[in-house]
Amino acid sequence: MSKDVFKKCFLPTLECGVAINKKNSINALPAQIDLPVMEAGILEYWTKNQVFEKSVENRNGAQRWSFYEGPPTANGKPGTHHIEARVFKDLFPRFQTMKGKQVIRKAGWDCHGLPVEIAVEKELGFTGKADIEKFGVAAFNEKCKESVQRHVTEFTDMTKRMGFWVDFDEAYWTMSPEYIESVWWSLQQIWNKGLLVQDHRVAPYCPRCGTGLSDHELAQGYETIKDPSVFVRFPATSGKLSELKASLLVWTTTPWTLVSNTAVAVNPKVEYQVIEITVDDKTERLVVAADLVGVLGEDRKVIATFMGKELEHTKYSKPFDLVEIENSHFVVLADYVTVEDGTGLVHQSPAFGADDLEVCRKYNLPVVNPINPDGHFKKEVALVGGVFFKEADKPLIKDLKSRNLLFKSLQFEHSYPHCWRCHTALMYYAQPSWYIKTTAIKQDLLRENSTTDWHPETIKTGRFGDWLNNNIDWAVSRNRYWGTPLPIWRCENNHEICVGSLAELGKLAGQELSKLDPHRPFVDDIKFNCQECQTQMQRIPEVIDCWYDSGAMPFAQWGYPHRAGSVEQFKAAYPADFICEAIDQTRGWFYTLMTIGTLVFDKSSYKTVLCLGHILDKDGRKMSKHLGNVLEPMPLMNQHGADAVRWYMLAAGSPWSARRVGHDAITDVVRKTLLTYWNTISFFTLYANAADFEVTEISSDLTLMDRWILSELNKLIAGVDLALENFDSQLAGSLLATFIDDLSNWYVRRSRRRFWDGDPVALNTLYFCLKNLTLLLAPMVPFISEHVWQSLIRVAQSNQPESVHLADFPISDAKRIDENLSASVSLSRRLVELGRSARAESGVKIRQPLSRALVSASGWEKISEEIKTHIADELNIQKLDGIHVAEADLVDVSVKANFRTLGTKFGAEVQDIAKAITEADHTLMVKHLRENKSFEINLKTASGKKVVSIDIDDLVVTETPRTGWSVASHAGESLALDLALTPELIQMGVVREVIRAVQEERKRIGLDISDRITVNWNAPEQIALAIIESEAEISSEVLATKMMRQSKQSNSDNELGLWLELIKS
RNA sequence: GGGCCUAUAGCUCAGCUUGGUUAGAGCGCUUCCCUGAUAAGGAAGAGGUCUGUGGUUCAAGUCCACAUAGGCCCA
């Protein structure tokens, strides 16, 4: 069907909400469906009727289920990974809404930060901060703002297309003045607690560009280079090491940092040895970790052994005397020191190493930095003054050698970060920076994490728990332009004040500032006098980490506490019942959200978190522009349909494990599940239309098949509900797919005749199943379920809600669940499979009736006559019997040990028992067991003879007739077909062939399923006799009012030699 | 370099919590069958060193250790 045709038959139904045909009965829906076209219509319907808005309003006064939208950074085009998170962010709010909760969904946009700045710099062709300053901060920030707005449009389009319901009109923007004010307020709270402080921080820094680099920039610029690696002697000058005349042996790959050497770190728990070696007749003593003495060569002697902690405060003579460093040069203890490479003694230069800085700070050691921000040693430094840091290695090594301090020098190949813009080797460089002292609230964070519900659970104590346990203070300031300005003003005498709102700032400055753009450079222009010393205060230059912005969204999205009504809005939604992002957010948003919540409110911002795995390309690699394997979301949805993509993300794999995405994979799941569902809908409408079906209560005279499918349906409702409560969309998906298969390929298949006959009970049962199935599918595949709701459910029941998404989630009726029936039907389906297998094996077509089959299976006795009829009918067999009716000596019995039961009973003896069972006379053993319930086995064991008793459950028994039968068996169940044919059976086979031929002809010439016909026919004599004899049966099957043999007509070339002509009567 | 996650059929994935002797599903492939849901459905077959190596156990895809590869985060 073409898309245009489809639109025609689809849209009118939607427009008026009722069927087009005048009887107000159900329309037959086409068997094919074009998902993308259908979805366009649904999107229109939702917008026009404000269905999303209504789904929220409908739950006014209901229990709140709070969802926080993690704002995407609008610094580029949305990718397929953005769909992934958004599918899950949509599913659970829809589900909870249907369950009766109110779920307010506020969109959000993360606007600030280096990623945006870099994108703009690229656009403008900038290479560094100097270009930005030249261009002007105001103009640059304006460009950033424009860039954000441009990309937000693309995100909005994608989000709407995929059916993610979120409120864009009320979206929060982290760059809006009221958002920034709210962030300021929270920073002031933290400031007031004394947890926002300025400190030195060692960060990767490009000396050429004059700027620090973010981690994400760092990751782009690793290059493999060769560096010198030197082992240097630091002679001890105090304590036992000095008495032993030993030198500390220190290893480093950055000799240039030795100029500012401040201390040597050892691990307190590692064993160190004083080793005496002799090289070229010179004997010396060196200190290295016991595990690393290998670096000293083979010829060595242990003089003394110390634990690292015993060496603390041992003084040594410093390697260079080029800069002044007071109260320093002794051994310090640090847990991070390892014995994996080097010597186990680590040179400390706090200006150039984050670990070094942290360790030295504990010992109150000074931070000395002999290098200018341009990467060159300060002019006044002897030997290397004015030299670029990387160039200083050579002269320094030469100098060490001349003073006999160099023990060994090698070349060392490793990957080292370079500036991704100019390829200059980066320095780790100490810069003043603002910190939030998160280490001070570490215990609170661990407490909050312990009550957080993580999915999957391993993250809680694993990745996230580890991260919290190793928590370091949050370096929150950035020396950049496009970000929330840090609201701290400082005077000449270093008095500082942290401002919490524009009103407060206005008061301080004595001017009306409520309309001030709080961004740079405007905010930098606000100056006022210090209240303590009256000198001028001006804002410090830094902006804050954009991760703080997004982590502040629980309150900042409402403009809390400044905006009117924000206090109530915040309280009603804090903490969130649900947040959901991919795993890379453990140290990102998951962390900042919990940390800011705990800092400001002493309570984490979320109760439950779903942590998704990443999606990968079809070859298992991550998607990146660099590799060119990115799947664009819009074309993906326009090709397969948003529902198809959604179903794939939700159901084809676990939410929390990484998954591959490719076109073929999506096509597969759609064909299998969504189209089967649609086909069943289409099948139903075909017969409901023909029968003028009307919905009624579930009838009391249900058939066994009806009771079975209703039992399965109620199990499904309970199962899907539980799975979705546990955020396990894969389980929900597989339960739904199994039910769709049960419904389509067993219930409908086995009940076809009832549908042909327009049986209202069957139609009503199927309708009830489809309606509930549609409700269950609605949160996962909102488009096709809405389409079915509009074109079937609301047509059949005009009193139903105007959208499936305004309906309530079904409630499972435990009274309708019948586990015994379920087990029986399940067995019957396995037996049918065996029967088909036996048919295929023997080459006797199913169209050829057979007289009898024998069944051997546990549970067979409990199977009702009605189910037996279904098996017989499906296999075209006249009579089914249990194997017990056969003469015992005609039956083969084979027996295998059931290890599961035997193993638990007998443990280690199980192998001997299994052997004894195999060797026993199976026929006798089974006979004995059936009569006496137990059977004794004589075992020969190492310790002598032993008798053990087994029962029938310890065996897997397979019984099969010995001769003249076609047998199929599996796992202890078997079915045997009696292949003997009689003339009567053969004639019945012929009749079936004829009926099939007529039906095929009916379809070929395009008759409607209810058209009555006259059949003109001819056939060879033997076939003709059979036809004449069974004329009544054939007529009724093919809706013939008359059957007339036309003996003059010649035989056709079909298998029977049958000639047919059908005339519509 | 460290931590965590993943590895099962040609492809996409279940199964592992709670070990049981013939490891499943769908798609794809081959050969058949069925025929008023028919561009659907069914059966059989080919296709698996359950990444590898050790260990625990009567028994390991499943539990443990190590290794390899990929992913994520951190250095």
Side-chain angles (χ1 to χ4, degrees):
Chain A
M1 171 181 292
S2 82
K3 293 183 179 183
D4 288 343
V5 174
F6 182 80
K7 231 172 189 169
K8 269 181 216 152
C9 69
F10 168 73
L11 288 174
T13 315
L14 265 190
E15 289 298 319
C16 42
V18 292
I20 329 169
N21 65 346
K22 48 196 179 299
K23 284 195 299 180
N24 190 25
S25 71
I26 291 160
N27 285 309
L29 294 166
Q32 276 85 45
I33 185 167
D34 183 326
L35 291 175
V37 171
M38 176 274 290
E39 287 169 359
I42 295 293
L43 283 170
E44 227 171 89
Y45 179 78
W46 286 342
T47 312
K48 196 169 166 189
N49 295 284
Q50 299 191 295
V51 179
F52 169 44
E53 292 77 2
K54 285 175 189 165
S55 79
V56 177
E57 282 162 22
N58 268 0
R59 302 300 187 192
N60 277 342
Q63 193 189 337
R64 182 77 178 267
W65 197 74
S66 174
F67 163 74
Y68 290 163
E69 157 74 341
T73 310
N75 71 316
K77 286 187 171 193
T80 297
H81 58 286
H82 287 107
I83 304 191
E84 188 205 14
R86 298 184 152 234
V87 168
F88 290 90
K89 288 178 184 185
D90 188 53
L91 162 62
F92 298 107
R94 282 182 187 267
F95 169 65
Q96 293 291 345
T97 301
M98 291 181 80
K99 293 270 287 176
K101 311 251 175 70
Q102 184 172 45
V103 189
I104 291 170
R105 282 154 273 180
K106 218 168 142 63
W109 305 110
D110 197 6
C111 311
H112 289 145
L114 207 52
V116 179
E117 290 194 36
I118 288 169
V120 171
E121 276 192 77
K122 251 187 195 161
E123 259 171 58
L124 297 173
F126 290 180
T127 55
K129 284 165 96 173
D131 289 335
I132 298 171
E133 304 271 355
K134 216 166 84 191
F135 187 72
V137 174
F140 180 76
N141 277 357
E142 195 53 39
K143 287 274 180 196
C144 289
K145 198 169 165 182
E146 279 170 31
S147 163
V148 167
Q149 273 156 344
R150 198 165 61 237
H151 289 122
V152 160
T153 308
E154 292 181 61
F155 267 90
T156 308
D157 291 347
M158 181 275 279
T159 305
K160 285 183 176 165
R161 174 64 187 89
M162 64 172 286
F164 176 25
W165 274 359
V166 64
D167 188 348
F168 291 111
D169 299 334
E170 293 292 315
Y172 64 91
W173 299 66
T174 62
M175 67 184 179
S176 77
E178 70 178 23
Y179 195 100
I180 290 175
E181 271 196 279
S182 189
V183 170
W184 280 6
W185 169 84
S186 67
L187 288 166
Q188 191 185 47
Q189 298 296 305
I190 296 166
W191 169 272
N192 290 344
K193 290 176 183 172
L195 297 175
L196 177 57
V197 297
Q198 193 179 28
D199 208 338
H200 273 73
R201 164 197 184 202
V202 173
Y205 177 87
C206 175
R208 200 204 66 88
C209 300
T211 178
L213 274 82
S214 72
D215 293 345
H216 123 266
E217 289 174 295
L218 198 65
Q220 292 181 44
Y222 274 89
E223 291 174 22
T224 300
I225 54 162
K226 273 186 182 170
D227 268 333
S229 132
V230 294
F231 293 80
V232 184
R233 302 181 181 98
F234 289 11
T237 57
S238 79
K240 286 179 187 156
L241 294 182
S242 169
E243 289 164 25
L244 292 167
K245 293 197 166 51
S247 292
L248 306 171
L249 190 66
V250 168
W251 178 71
T252 180
T253 56
T254 50
W256 58 272
T257 61
L258 288 170
V259 173
S260 53
N261 170 270
T262 304
V264 168
V266 299
N267 187 320
K269 288 171 195 154
V270 163
E271 191 178 282
Y272 291 85
Q273 290 179 335
V274 178
I275 305 282
E276 185 172 279
I277 57 167
T278 304
V279 179
D280 298 338
D281 295 336
K282 275 192 274 183
T283 300
E284 66 174 327
R285 291 173 174 180
L286 296 167
V287 181
V288 294
D291 290 347
L292 292 164
V293 293
V295 299
L296 302 178
E298 291 306 311
D299 187 15
R300 55 178 193 250
K301 196 162 108 193
V302 180
I303 301 298
T305 299
F306 301 97
M307 287 310 287
K309 64 182 177 199
E310 297 174 69
L311 303 177
E312 193 178 15
H313 295 301
T314 302
K315 285 190 170 283
Y316 63 86
S317 74
K318 56 184 175 178
F320 291 105
D321 196 10
L322 304 174
V323 295
E324 184 81 8
I325 307 174
E326 289 174 349
N327 303 321
S328 59
H329 300 104
F330 54 83
V331 174
V332 297
L333 304 181
D335 291 328
Y336 84 89
V337 175
T338 68
V339 290
E340 284 179 8
D341 46 24
T343 61
L345 293 98
V346 178
H347 137 69
Q348 301 288 297
S349 179
F352 305 112
D355 290 328
D356 305 23
L357 184 63
E358 197 186 330
V359 170
C360 290
R361 188 174 283 150
K362 278 190 203 154
Y363 287 87
N364 284 317
L365 288 160
V367 178
V368 172
N369 185 351
I371 297 183
N372 285 325
D374 64 1
H376 293 74
F377 276 92
K378 288 177 177 159
K379 287 261 159 38
E380 62 271 24
V381 180
L383 191 66
V384 290
V387 178
F388 191 63
F389 75 101
K390 273 276 164 191
E391 306 299 323
D393 286 342
K394 272 187 187 166
L396 291 169
I397 292 171
K398 203 172 158 191
D399 185 67
L400 287 170
K401 199 170 182 183
S402 72
R403 290 186 286 126
N404 198 30
L405 293 175
L406 186 70
F407 174 74
K408 198 155 78 172
S409 171
L410 305 161
Q411 288 287 304
F412 180 74
E413 200 179 70
H414 63 150
S415 75
Y416 189 85
H418 287 64
C419 178
W420 62 276
R421 282 183 283 216
C422 67
H423 298 283
T424 304
L426 300 178
M427 293 196 299
Y428 282 85
Y429 191 75
Q431 298 163 296
S433 184
W434 288 85
Y435 285 85
I436 293 176
K437 293 170 78 174
T438 52
T439 47
I441 59 156
K442 180 174 164 181
Q443 291 312 315
D444 304 318
L445 290 173
L446 290 169
R447 178 199 69 215
E448 289 303 308
N449 184 44
S450 71
T451 58
T452 303
D453 183 19
W454 283 90
H455 297 263
E457 217 184 337
T458 52
I459 311 273
K460 179 184 192 157
T461 52
R463 186 181 279 223
F464 195 75
D466 279 351
W467 172 247
L468 290 182
N469 272 313
N470 297 311
N471 187 263
I472 55 168
D473 287 339
W474 181 359
V476 78
S477 62
R478 296 285 180 271
N479 297 309
R480 296 297 305 189
Y481 308 96
W482 180 238
T484 299
L486 196 51
I488 294 168
W489 272 257
R490 184 192 275 154
C491 73
E492 288 164 20
N493 293 318
N494 288 332
H495 297 125
E496 288 165 346
I497 184 167
C498 182
V499 175
S501 69
L502 285 173
E504 200 181 324
L505 184 63
K507 222 168 164 186
L508 287 164
Q511 44 181 310
E512 166 56 37
L513 292 178
S514 59
K515 294 282 179 286
L516 178 78
D517 179 350
H519 284 102
R520 298 186 68 186
F522 316 107
V523 69
D524 299 334
D525 295 338
I526 308 302
K527 293 167 186 173
F528 47 86
N529 286 341
C530 176
Q531 288 169 327
E532 289 176 63
C533 67
Q534 297 308 311
T535 59
Q536 194 184 56
M537 294 197 109
Q538 68 175 52
R539 201 186 70 82
I540 56 165
E542 289 93 343
V543 297
I544 62 167
D545 183 359
C546 60
W547 283 107
Y548 189 99
D549 287 351
S550 53
M553 65 71 66
F555 49 90
Q557 66 174 333
W558 310 109
Y560 179 92
H562 307 307
R563 205 177 73 173
S566 62
V567 174
E568 293 73 26
Q569 284 171 315
F570 166 71
K571 280 189 178 155
Y574 192 91
D577 291 296
F578 174 63
I579 61 169
C580 168
E581 302 293 334
I583 184 133
D584 54 303
Q585 295 297 332
T586 33
R587 278 120 203 241
W589 198 55
F590 293 152
Y591 173 67
T592 60
L593 209 55
M594 181 181 284
T595 303
I596 296 174
T598 308
L599 280 163
V600 179
F601 303 105
D602 196 29
K603 190 174 181 181
S604 173
S605 310
Y606 51 91
K607 289 191 266 195
T608 300
V609 48
L610 174 60
C611 189
L612 305 173
H614 279 112
I615 51 168
L616 311 169
D617 75 358
K618 62 183 168 51
D619 302 316
R621 293 171 309 178
K622 69 171 177 173
M623 291 186 188
S624 76
K625 281 184 198 150
H626 174 66
L627 291 168
N629 58 352
V630 176
L631 278 181
E632 296 274 346
M634 289 301 259
L636 197 65
M637 289 190 286
N638 290 336
Q639 181 183 341
H640 300 280
D643 271 352
V645 178
R646 290 175 65 115
W647 183 262
Y648 182 78
M649 299 276 186
L650 295 170
S654 163
W656 31 79
S657 62
R659 259 128 8 98
R660 300 178 184 198
V661 179
H663 287 285
D664 295 345
I666 294 175
T667 312
D668 283 356
V669 297
V670 171
R671 272 246 305 261
K672 185 59 198 164
T673 313
L674 296 185
L675 293 189
T676 307
Y677 163 65
W678 178 255
N679 246 302
T680 312
I681 298 284
S682 164
F683 172 87
F684 170 78
T685 60
L686 186 66
Y687 292 100
N689 180 37
D692 289 335
F693 166 72
E694 278 181 34
V695 181
T696 58
E697 293 292 304
I698 291 292
S699 152
S700 54
D701 53 351
L702 297 172
T703 66
L704 178 134
M705 252 329 134
D706 296 331
R707 283 189 283 117
W708 170 71
I709 197 65
L710 289 172
S711 171
E712 295 301 317
L713 175 70
N714 283 289
K715 277 162 71 178
L716 175 75
I717 293 171
V720 171
D721 196 336
L722 184 66
L724 292 183
E725 288 286 356
N726 290 324
F727 304 100
D728 193 343
S729 59
Q730 178 183 41
L731 178 58
S734 83
L735 292 171
L736 283 161
T738 305
F739 181 79
I740 289 170
D741 188 66
D742 283 348
L743 184 67
S744 166
N745 291 326
W746 197 247
Y747 176 74
V748 169
R749 180 186 169 83
R750 285 309 323 147
S751 311
R752 267 187 298 200
R753 186 161 293 273
R754 296 169 70 203
F755 293 109
W756 298 343
D757 296 345
D759 176 355
V761 176
L763 283 166
N764 202 52
T765 303
L766 180 54
Y767 176 80
F768 187 79
C769 288
L770 290 173
K771 180 181 176 183
N772 280 286
L773 177 59
T774 301
L775 288 163
L776 294 174
L777 285 168
M780 301 177 80
V781 280
F783 293 96
I784 194 169
S785 55
E786 183 75 292
H787 179 50
V788 169
W789 193 261
Q790 300 302 338
S791 50
L792 170 59
I793 308 298
R794 291 193 72 211
V795 175
Q797 293 179 281
S798 54
N799 63 344
Q800 293 297 298
E802 67 173 309
S803 163
V804 69
H805 305 292
L806 299 175
D808 289 342
F809 205 72
I811 295 166
S812 174
D813 181 357
K815 290 196 299 293
R816 293 220 177 264
I817 296 176
D818 182 343
E819 293 293 352
N820 290 329
L821 178 58
S822 202
S824 289
V825 171
S826 165
L827 171 58
S828 77
R829 293 182 71 175
R830 291 199 299 277
L831 291 173
V832 166
E833 273 179 39
L834 291 173
R836 286 178 185 144
S837 175
R839 282 266 188 184
E841 181 82 9
S842 64
V844 182
K845 289 180 181 180
I846 291 182
R847 235 179 288 151
Q848 173 60 59
L850 292 173
S851 62
R852 192 162 83 132
L854 294 184
V855 172
S856 160
S858 79
W860 172 251
E861 319 76 54
K862 292 185 209 146
I863 284 195
S864 69
E865 285 307 316
E866 202 174 344
I867 292 179
K868 287 179 189 171
T869 309
H870 280 288
I871 301 172
D873 191 41
E874 190 68 24
L875 294 174
N876 200 12
I877 287 164
Q878 294 179 318
K879 192 162 181 284
L880 275 173
D881 278 311
I883 192 99
H884 59 272
V885 304
E887 298 287 325
D889 56 356
L890 294 178
V891 172
D892 275 335
V893 177
S894 82
V895 155
K896 280 195 293 189
N898 178 357
F899 280 88
R900 191 184 282 272
T901 59
L902 288 170
T904 44
K905 276 191 232 170
F906 301 110
E909 287 162 344
V910 74
Q911 303 296 355
D912 293 330
I913 295 173
K915 201 172 161 211
I917 289 173
T918 310
E919 286 165 357
D921 181 324
H922 294 168
T923 308
L924 276 179
M925 180 160 63
V926 170
K927 187 161 179 264
H928 189 269
L929 269 168
R930 291 219 165 110
E931 285 160 8
N932 304 303
K933 303 260 179 202
S934 71
F935 184 83
E936 290 182 347
I937 291 176
N938 294 307
L939 276 190
K940 282 177 209 157
T941 63
S943 54
K945 285 183 183 175
K946 192 177 170 184
V947 178
V948 297
S949 172
I950 63 167
D951 57 45
I952 192 80
D953 291 338
D954 294 326
L955 302 178
V956 178
V957 182
T958 306
E959 291 171 281
T960 49
R962 203 161 278 169
T963 52
W965 300 76
S966 173
V967 184
S969 50
H970 180 80
E973 293 168 347
S974 77
L975 186 140
L977 298 175
D978 185 345
L979 296 178
L981 289 178
T982 62
E984 289 76 25
L985 289 171
I986 292 169
Q987 180 173 335
M988 288 167 76
V990 168
V991 169
R992 254 183 97 142
E993 294 276 7
V994 171
I995 291 171
R996 187 187 65 86
V998 177
Q999 299 288 35
E1000 209 165 72
E1001 183 65 9
R1002 281 187 65 118
K1003 200 172 59 189
R1004 194 182 67 76
I1005 64 177
L1007 292 179
D1008 188 81
I1009 51 163
S1010 55
D1011 286 338
R1012 267 34 180 196
I1013 51 169
T1014 298
V1015 179
N1016 292 320
W1017 63 278
N1018 193 19
E1021 215 43 46
Q1022 205 154 7
I1023 306 288
L1025 276 175
I1027 293 175
I1028 291 163
E1029 207 161 299
S1030 307
E1031 194 179 302
E1033 188 194 344
I1034 296 170
S1035 297
S1036 101
E1037 279 295 309
V1038 303
L1039 303 184
T1041 49
K1042 222 188 265 177
M1043 290 190 65
M1044 299 200 306
R1045 186 172 183 187
Q1046 308 291 335
S1047 49
K1048 285 179 195 156
Q1049 294 296 337
S1050 59
N1051 294 343
S1052 109
D1053 56 357
N1054 74 33
E1055 222 177 296
L1056 298 169
L1058 181 69
W1059 172 84
L1060 280 174
E1061 183 186 55
L1062 309 188
I1063 299 162
K1064 194 170 158 183
S1065 50

